[in-house]
Amino acid sequence: MSDRARYRFQHATDHCVDCGAPRSPVVKMIRDRCPTCYRRHVKILKKQGTFQPIPPAPMNERLAAQTQEAPNGCHHWTGMINATTGYGTIGLNGVNNYVHRLAYAAFVGPIPEGMKIDHVCHNGDPECRGETMCMHRRCLNPEHLEAVPHRQNILRSHLTAAGRNALKTHCKHGHEFTPENTISRPKGARACRACH
């Protein structure tokens, strides 16, 4: 149980204020009511026209509440993580969104159309193995986020085949990739003129 959940559990009432059902770690109390009584309570308030939902906190406050600063300058997301991609996620209007994109929009500005958010801290760490356990994917530090085109995002990473090839300065036979010795293929790949 997280510290936040433990705090809520310890400071909640022992029983539902409407039906008296006991509180348990399994049943989550909502405003001191069990889920059934809370739904009934909200339905009554909506019929009366007096229901006022709690407005969500601003996005920058929601992000800051679940962020922990690391020694390397990264601000790691401590909330929900997408199991497939390893990126942090948070619910917004009923949809899960990547937190690094929301952090960029909240602290830097709107993301330009068709751009990806690149973690600059990831590109500078040659020891990072990537994959879903990469802690750089959870970084929300605005100084470590940059909006770039998709191709540039792929080429910057030392973990993609395209990125590794872009970092090569010589062909496999030792010829240097200079403007005079480089052939550009239709799909963007480089070839050595001396070898061909």
Side-chain angles (χ1 to χ4, degrees):
M1 189 183 296
S2 69
D3 292 338
R4 191 171 165 189
R6 191 177 297 109
Y7 176 83
R8 270 197 234 125
F9 183 75
Q10 290 170 347
H11 291 82
T13 57
D14 289 334
H15 293 81
C16 174
V17 294
D18 288 344
C19 71
R23 175 176 58 96
S24 73
V26 178
V27 177
K28 178 180 157 188
M29 292 288 191
I30 308 166
R31 292 188 181 177
D32 299 330
R33 291 180 168 85
C34 68
T36 305
C37 291
Y38 180 74
R39 284 192 294 274
R40 189 179 309 121
H41 177 70
V42 168
K43 190 174 181 180
I44 291 168
L45 291 178
K46 284 183 177 178
K47 277 186 180 179
Q48 294 173 349
T50 58
F51 177 72
Q52 294 181 351
I54 300 173
M59 185 50 65
N60 55 356
E61 289 179 18
R62 289 180 68 191
L63 294 173
Q66 296 189 58
T67 304
Q68 183 178 20
E69 193 166 346
N72 63 355
C74 288
H75 299 171
H76 290 154
W77 174 251
T78 59
M80 181 75 83
I81 303 296
N82 183 308
T84 307
T85 62
Y87 290 107
T89 61
I90 192 170
L92 179 65
N93 300 326
V95 178
N96 277 343
N97 292 276
Y98 287 136
V99 292
H100 64 284
R101 293 184 62 82
L102 295 175
Y104 186 90
F107 299 113
V108 178
I111 301 171
E113 188 69 31
M115 297 294 232
K116 302 288 182 184
I117 302 302
D118 184 28
H119 288 89
V120 179
C121 52
H122 175 76
N123 302 333
D125 187 0
E127 296 179 10
C128 180
R129 292 190 356 232
E131 302 171 1
T132 57
M133 296 309 293
C134 173
M135 292 304 287
H136 298 290
R137 292 181 182 219
R138 301 173 193 180
C139 180
L140 303 184
N141 187 343
E143 296 173 4
H144 294 186
L145 303 175
E146 186 178 351
V148 296
H150 179 68
R151 178 168 171 73
Q152 186 176 355
N153 190 22
I154 297 295
L155 291 175
R156 281 182 171 186
S157 175
H158 62 281
L159 298 172
T160 62
R164 286 191 298 272
N165 286 331
L167 293 174
K168 291 179 182 175
T169 57
H170 292 76
C171 75
K172 63 183 178 181
H173 298 291
H175 303 117
E176 186 176 2
F177 283 124
T178 61
E180 299 81 25
N181 189 37
T182 305
I183 302 170
S184 293
R185 295 196 173 162
K187 291 188 177 180
R190 296 180 299 176
C192 175
R193 190 181 300 273
C195 293
H196 287 77

